[in-house]
Amino acid sequence: MCNLYANTLAPTLMRQLFKVRAENDQLGNAEPLTAIFPKGTAPIVALDEDGNRVLRNTHWGFVLPQTSKKTGKPIQPKAVNNARDDKLRSSPFWKASFTERRCLIPASSFCEAKGRNPATYVWFGVSGDTPRPPFALAGIWRSFAGNYGTEYRELTTSSMITTTPNELVKDTHPDRMPAILSPDDYEAWLTAPAEDAFRLIRPYPAERMVIHQQGEDLKSDHGGV
């Protein structure tokens, strides 16, 4: 499970890396995001109705409405921000989005917590020639319109796919890790039939990853690209 990641990429770099035309960049004056938590702003690359790549901001986590057990009234919803790969094709919560609405989630690092009281925060990334080489996580998205706690909201929401961990991540989180996509697979993830896209979900090679930093007081990524 991943409940924290960073995207410190400038919009111009995201447009270049993910082949998004300037007129399809909806991020505006996006600031570096050194700590993205569930319900936070999460930029994605998705396809519009005409099949063009678009950069847009989303609410990180599919909205799952909740009601108070005491009063029966709406309360703040859950943000389901991780989608397990073994549930994508069977769960009604995920299946339609996986089949019809896949996206790339630009990132510069992701964090997993190890232990408790205090936890050690371990920030992972991919290896390369820069301090925080950019990469893309496999994601899905969907629209939400309805009660969000005590107010009505219309949102584009996203969730990242998780898979089994590789040897580097396993020591920190033995069960899951975000699914990192190879650049050669970006187009197929966005456009291929669901069964072909599913085969792209696999642990990223440990030898192509690094630990950027780790410590007890590291709830944001202090690095940059």
Side-chain angles (χ1 to χ4, degrees), residues 111-122 172 214-218:
C111 184
E112 298 287 4
K114 182 178 182 179
R116 295 184 180 183
N117 301 320
T120 298
Y121 295 92
V122 185
T172 301
Q214 55 186 318
E216 294 178 3
D217 189 26
L218 288 175

Side-chain angles (χ1 to χ4, degrees), residues 7 22 42 48 89 94 116 141 155 157 196:
N7 175 4
D48 65 13
R89 297 178 293 178
W94 304 118
R116 295 184 180 183
W141 69 274
L155 301 167
T157 66
D196 293 338

Side-chain angles (χ1 to χ4, degrees), residues 159-210:
S159 184
M160 66 175 58
I161 312 301
T162 65
T163 187
T164 52
N166 62 27
E167 290 301 317
L168 182 67
V169 178
K170 185 183 296 184
D171 182 61
T172 301
H173 199 294
D175 182 47
R176 312 296 296 172
M177 70 173 286
I180 300 174
L181 293 169
S182 167
D184 292 339
D185 294 332
Y186 291 169
E187 178 66 15
W189 179 254
L190 291 173
T191 63
E195 287 305 307
D196 293 338
F198 187 78
R199 286 191 281 270
L200 304 178
I201 303 171
R202 50 187 179 263
Y204 199 71
E207 64 272 16
R208 292 165 58 187
M209 291 185 62
V210 295

Side-chain angles (χ1 to χ4, degrees), residues 4-213:
L4 175 59
Y5 76 104
N7 175 4
T8 57
L9 285 63
T12 52
L13 179 57
M14 283 188 274
R15 292 199 301 267
Q16 177 184 352
L17 289 172
F18 302 112
K19 300 179 181 178
V20 177
R21 295 199 298 265
E23 61 267 28
N24 292 333
D25 180 355
Q26 301 174 4
L27 301 185
N29 294 322
E31 297 292 330
L33 300 172
T34 60
I36 303 174
F37 293 95
K39 299 185 181 180
T41 298
I44 66 168
V45 179
L47 299 180
D48 65 13
E49 294 179 353
D50 297 321
N52 299 310
R53 294 190 186 189
V54 178
L55 265 170
R56 60 167 62 117
N57 282 320
T58 68
H59 168 285
W60 187 27
F62 282 16
V63 176
L64 183 62
Q66 301 286 294
T67 56
S68 170
K69 293 181 179 179
K70 292 184 179 180
T71 67
K73 295 181 178 180
I75 58 176
Q76 283 292 94
K78 289 185 179 179
V80 189
N81 56 293
N82 287 176
R84 291 178 60 104
D85 56 354
D86 55 352
K87 303 293 185 182
L88 286 175
R89 297 178 293 178
S90 59
S91 169
F93 194 72
W94 304 118
K95 186 175 181 179
S97 295
F98 172 63
T99 301
E100 303 168 10
R101 296 181 296 275
R102 295 186 296 273
C103 64
L104 306 173
I105 302 177
S108 50
S109 58
F110 70 89
C111 184
E112 298 287 4
K114 182 178 182 179
R116 295 184 180 183
N117 301 320
T120 298
Y121 295 92
V122 185
W123 286 88
F124 298 92
V126 300
S127 56
D129 297 330
T130 59
R132 295 289 190 279
F135 56 94
L137 302 169
I140 52 179
W141 69 274
R142 72 179 183 187
S143 298
F144 170 81
N147 291 328
Y148 192 98
T150 58
E151 62 179 336
Y152 177 86
R153 296 183 69 180
E154 295 182 359
L155 301 167
T156 300
T157 66
S158 62
S159 184
M160 66 175 58
I161 312 301
T162 65
T163 187
T164 52
N166 62 27
E167 290 301 317
L168 182 67
V169 178
K170 185 183 296 184
D171 182 61
T172 301
H173 199 294
D175 182 47
R176 312 296 296 172
M177 70 173 286
I180 300 174
L181 293 169
S182 167
D184 292 339
D185 294 332
Y186 291 169
E187 178 66 15
W189 179 254
L190 291 173
T191 63
E195 287 305 307
D196 293 338
F198 187 78
R199 286 191 281 270
L200 304 178
I201 303 171
R202 50 187 179 263
Y204 199 71
E207 64 272 16
R208 292 165 58 187
M209 291 185 62
V210 295
I211 293 175
H212 288 311
Q213 56 181 350

